[in-house]
Amino acid sequence: ICQHYRDKPWSLSDSPRTPRSFISKIQSLGITNLTIHHHLDKSFGALDTNLRYSALTWVTPDSMSMLYESLTAGSPTAILDLRPRHKTKLTRVALHIDMLVKDKLITSYQRWLANPDLELQTQQTFWEADRAARWLLEKVLEQDEHRYGE
């Protein structure tokens, strides 16, 4: 990805779940347009701000929260390919990611490989915090109705 977009600066941040060997392997590649950030050193800055101004965000499929952070920020979002742990049964997360790809809300790595110059744009604004708050309020109101018979 960095080699295809050689004229663009890229930032990579790990997470607490990133295997320790991953960053050293990436660093050994000597990618000149890639800046690597460690999640503990806070050098990446505010996540929502970086995502909001990002021309394209690549996310690993093991982080549904990061995927929705990117979509909520309005960043065109693509998903990297990782081998699933369970080869015979897709997880709920994998099924949801497949749905997002089919609905063209995110782009898969395979689709990008077929057309790397594809102009990626966010199809929809996500307001996950608002949606979650509305859901919670509805549940509280339902409980109140059952409790008080209103």
Side-chain angles (χ1 to χ4, degrees):
I1 296 167
C2 292
Q3 288 175 350
H4 181 76
Y5 299 109
R6 290 176 197 251
D7 61 330
K8 306 261 189 260
W10 288 90
S11 292
L12 171 72
S13 181
D14 65 358
S15 78
R17 292 189 318 260
T18 304
R20 291 181 186 208
S21 61
F22 176 76
I23 294 297
S24 60
K25 286 180 183 176
I26 293 292
Q27 286 172 326
S28 73
L29 297 174
I31 303 169
T32 58
N33 60 336
L34 179 66
T35 303
I36 298 172
H37 304 274
H38 184 40
H39 70 279
L40 291 177
D41 68 18
K42 311 267 191 253
S43 64
F44 186 68
L47 178 63
D48 61 335
T49 301
N50 277 300
L51 291 172
R52 193 173 318 118
Y53 294 107
S54 176
L56 175 60
T57 302
W58 285 91
V59 180
T60 57
D62 62 331
S63 182
M64 188 61 73
S65 62
M66 183 56 68
L67 181 63
Y68 273 93
E69 285 277 353
S70 180
L71 289 170
T72 300
S75 178
T77 304
I79 193 107
L80 295 165
D81 289 343
L82 291 179
R83 279 178 265 133
R85 286 186 183 165
H86 309 286
K87 293 180 181 175
T88 57
K89 180 184 173 192
L90 287 178
T91 65
R92 186 174 47 125
V93 170
L95 290 169
H96 189 80
I97 288 171
D98 283 349
M99 180 199 70
L100 291 172
V101 169
K102 285 177 187 159
D103 290 345
K104 296 184 179 176
L105 297 172
I106 63 174
T107 298
S108 69
Y109 180 71
Q110 292 301 318
R111 182 171 179 240
W112 177 82
L113 272 179
N115 186 2
D117 295 317
L118 178 70
E119 192 73 28
L120 300 176
Q121 296 181 356
T122 306
Q123 300 295 320
Q124 170 181 347
T125 301
F126 284 79
W127 297 94
E128 287 304 292
D130 292 0
R131 186 186 63 78
R134 279 194 290 281
W135 175 86
L136 181 60
L137 285 172
E138 287 174 12
K139 293 300 176 190
V140 168
L141 291 173
E142 286 174 13
Q143 286 181 346
D144 284 350
E145 287 176 7
H146 292 309
R147 186 176 305 142
Y148 301 112
E150 295 176 3

